[in-house]
Amino acid sequence: MSYLKGLLTSCLVLASVMSWAKAVPISMDKTKDTGLHYDRYLREVIDFLEKDQHFREKLHNTDMEDIKQGKLAKELDFVSHHVRTKLDELKRQEVSRLRTLIKAKQDIEGGNDIAVDHQALLKQFEYLNHMNPHTFEVEDLDRLIKSATKDLENYDKERHEEFKRYEMMKEHERREHLKTLDEEGRRKEEEHYEEMKKKHADHPKVNHPGSKDQLKEVWEEADGLDPEDFDPKTFFNLHDTNGDGFFDEQELEALFTKELEKIYDPTNEEDDMVEMEEERLRMREHVMNEVDTNKDRLVSLDEFLVATKKKEFLEPDSWEAVEHMERLKTQKVPDPPEMHLEGNALPESLGHDQHPVPPEHQPLPPGHQDIPPEQQQHDVPQHQQDPGQEHQNIHQENQPLPPGHNSAPHDSPQMPLDHNNVP
């Protein structure tokens, strides 16, 4: 779904494409954006397919694996003429939108005199069959399901990677700031840094996500109910906010707000709200792994009730929250070269081949000491470098891209996409 929209600062709905159709009624919440560049096309296709009674029945009687393998797509041949006609129209609009974007990019890049091979460029958009731009066929539905499922399944991994890049840049900026200070200034800055670490670590106990203690706290403090009257089924119905019989990922993440407020306060200097969203994601992933037994990215009432009878629910292990400062102690953070960044641009390289700054000019926090000079390599030809070193460099062109924005073939330019502009 939506990739780094707000850079890990908002809770996003994540669900596999056909889980939506199973869980969300026809009047889907239009404010919930998947973030895929073909979000609007995806939504409209699902919306119209659900209006066909035959397809809707097949959808609800087909398991997730069969959907992913394309068996459901074959049912397209049996939907009504009206729905097929509308799907044809949606596809023509989508192809037209992509062609417009291709042409716009060519104009921006000054290639007005170069002939555009739209068929070749459309190959990069795997979610539709560009060879037939006029009608929506079984292959189009199959491509759409597989592309969306793949993109959505990769989303959480990409969120974690983005958070790692954020941490690295934050630490780099702190180090660069230290270099601008005199010895006394660096000493005071390090003392302040350590003080902030201690303040952030001094917070109430965090309950294990999804445990009875955690849910009872929500029941008491958010719902205003007596904890002695806690009832799992009633709790589920209270927090199934759209009443569809499932906890989707957004509804699950909302349950962790009270726990996160114990650790993070936006008014405190020591608390990082970007880190808070990483912790929210981590909590949700943990509960999904424990409770979502059929792996459809939804928690049904039955799955929830079964989980409440397990030992892990009643007697959970302690939960260690993500601590930004402590994480950096155990993680090697490459020391990026000096650079000037404009706007939100990411550096092309956080390289290891920059000459090291003498230790006396680069005070580092505990756990971030530079590699001793005798262990460092200088002026090593690229083909002789340790392969492991190469992975310490994060090149902009190799950074993970948003779901649905996977790199195009080498002969096909990438397109910045805005799905709100449909011709």
Side-chain angles (χ1 to χ4, degrees):
M1 296 239 155
S2 188
Y3 180 73
L4 296 172
K5 198 172 185 180
L7 193 59
L8 301 176
T9 57
S10 61
C11 303
L12 304 175
V13 180
L14 302 173
S16 68
V17 57
M18 284 306 164
S19 292
W20 272 355
K22 284 186 174 182
V24 184
I26 292 175
S27 56
M28 290 190 296
D29 185 349
K30 302 303 182 184
T31 65
K32 295 180 179 179
D33 187 350
T34 68
L36 302 175
H37 68 78
Y38 49 93
D39 173 80
R40 183 171 174 177
Y41 175 66
L42 170 64
R43 288 175 172 278
E44 291 177 339
V45 168
I46 292 176
D47 189 46
F48 274 95
L49 284 172
E50 281 217 299
K51 292 178 181 178
D52 183 87
Q53 184 177 356
H54 170 82
F55 192 89
R56 189 180 185 93
E57 290 175 356
K58 289 292 183 181
L59 170 63
H60 286 269
N61 293 323
T62 306
D63 63 34
M64 288 302 299
E65 285 307 312
D66 285 345
I67 291 174
K68 291 178 181 180
Q69 292 172 13
K71 294 182 179 179
L72 183 66
K74 297 176 182 177
E75 298 297 327
L76 184 67
D77 288 334
F78 301 100
V79 304
S80 68
H81 175 71
H82 168 71
V83 172
R84 287 297 294 269
T85 300
K86 184 60 181 178
L87 293 175
D88 293 345
E89 179 183 343
L90 291 176
K91 182 178 178 181
R92 287 193 293 269
Q93 290 176 349
E94 183 68 3
V95 172
S96 176
R97 182 184 74 88
L98 296 177
R99 286 175 170 169
T100 300
L101 290 173
I102 291 171
K103 181 62 168 61
K105 182 177 181 183
Q106 182 196 28
D107 292 344
I108 291 173
E109 294 177 349
N112 295 325
D113 298 330
I114 302 175
V116 178
D117 186 349
H118 284 92
Q119 291 290 8
L121 295 178
L122 285 170
K123 287 180 182 179
Q124 64 187 291
F125 304 110
E126 298 178 352
Y127 62 93
L128 51 73
N129 177 15
H130 66 281
M131 297 303 294
N132 173 13
H134 305 295
T135 58
F136 188 96
E137 305 295 342
V138 170
E139 182 182 354
D140 291 293
L141 181 56
D142 187 42
R143 282 172 174 251
L144 185 59
I145 292 172
K146 290 179 178 178
S147 292
T149 300
K150 178 184 69 175
D151 293 340
L152 295 169
E153 288 176 346
N154 290 336
Y155 177 78
D156 286 345
K157 179 181 177 182
E158 290 165 346
R159 272 182 76 176
H160 288 308
E161 290 300 318
E162 187 70 21
F163 179 66
K164 289 179 183 178
R165 288 193 291 273
Y166 166 81
E167 283 189 313
M168 292 168 65
M169 288 306 301
K170 183 176 179 179
E171 176 64 8
H172 167 63
E173 290 170 1
R174 192 187 75 83
R175 294 182 181 190
E176 292 299 300
H177 174 63
L178 289 175
K179 294 177 186 178
T180 67
L181 305 176
D182 59 22
E183 184 176 352
E184 178 64 15
R186 286 197 298 272
R187 184 186 64 79
K188 290 182 178 180
E189 191 71 18
E190 288 288 19
E191 288 177 353
H192 180 69
Y193 177 81
E194 292 298 326
E195 180 185 355
M196 292 299 100
K197 285 169 56 179
K198 290 178 181 179
K199 287 183 66 176
H200 177 67
D202 183 20
H203 57 69
K205 176 186 175 183
V206 177
N207 290 313
H208 194 101
S211 68
K212 184 175 182 179
D213 288 342
Q214 191 255 312
L215 299 186
K216 281 182 69 174
E217 196 167 288
V218 175
W219 172 275
E220 180 180 11
E221 297 187 12
D223 301 332
L225 300 174
D226 188 337
E228 299 303 317
D229 296 331
F230 177 77
D231 176 66
K233 185 174 182 179
T234 302
F235 181 91
F236 185 94
N237 291 330
L238 280 172
H239 294 276
D240 174 21
T241 54
N242 63 3
D244 62 6
F246 297 88
F247 277 162
D248 61 32
E249 295 176 340
Q250 185 185 45
E251 289 167 331
L252 270 182
E253 290 187 357
L255 299 179
F256 310 136
T257 299
K258 286 292 179 182
E259 296 304 311
L260 294 168
E261 287 176 350
K262 297 176 182 178
I263 316 172
Y264 302 98
D265 183 338
T267 64
N268 291 342
E269 177 186 356
E270 68 271 15
D271 297 335
D272 187 334
M273 295 300 104
V274 174
E275 182 184 310
M276 182 184 76
E277 292 306 321
E278 171 73 3
E279 180 64 25
R280 190 192 302 273
L281 169 60
R282 181 169 168 256
M283 288 180 170
R284 188 256 296 161
E285 285 181 319
H286 172 75
V287 173
M288 274 293 187
N289 288 335
E290 294 291 320
V291 183
D292 178 22
T293 54
N294 67 356
K295 305 305 177 186
D296 64 353
R297 301 179 76 94
L298 297 166
V299 174
S300 68
L301 175 59
D302 288 342
E303 288 174 325
F304 181 74
L305 294 179
V306 168
T308 61
K309 296 178 173 62
K310 295 180 179 179
K311 180 180 178 181
E312 292 82 358
F313 178 77
L314 302 172
E315 301 175 13
D317 297 329
S318 61
W319 178 262
E320 296 297 331
V322 170
E323 301 290 349
H324 171 69
M325 305 301 183
E326 294 303 312
R327 177 198 293 268
L328 287 176
K329 285 185 178 181
T330 59
Q331 173 180 307
K332 171 59 182 170
V333 180
D335 190 16
E338 296 183 9
M339 64 193 79
H340 297 286
L341 300 179
E342 297 182 1
N344 295 323
L346 290 175
E348 291 189 0
S349 171
L350 304 181
H352 62 275
D353 55 356
Q354 178 187 356
H355 290 295
V357 178
E360 63 269 23
H361 296 305
Q362 190 175 352
L364 298 176
H368 293 274
Q369 286 78 10
D370 280 348
I371 300 173
E374 61 268 29
Q375 296 181 18
Q376 297 183 357
Q377 296 179 356
H378 300 285
D379 302 323
V380 180
Q382 185 173 2
H383 67 278
Q384 294 180 9
Q385 290 181 359
D386 184 349
Q389 261 189 335
E390 296 177 5
H391 296 289
Q392 293 180 7
N393 291 333
I394 300 179
H395 294 278
Q396 188 172 8
E397 61 270 24
N398 293 329
Q399 292 176 357
L401 296 175
H405 290 69
N406 298 329
S407 298
H410 293 298
D411 58 349
S412 302
Q414 294 180 355
M415 289 295 305
L417 297 167
D418 179 1
H419 209 313
N420 294 322
N421 296 325
V422 180

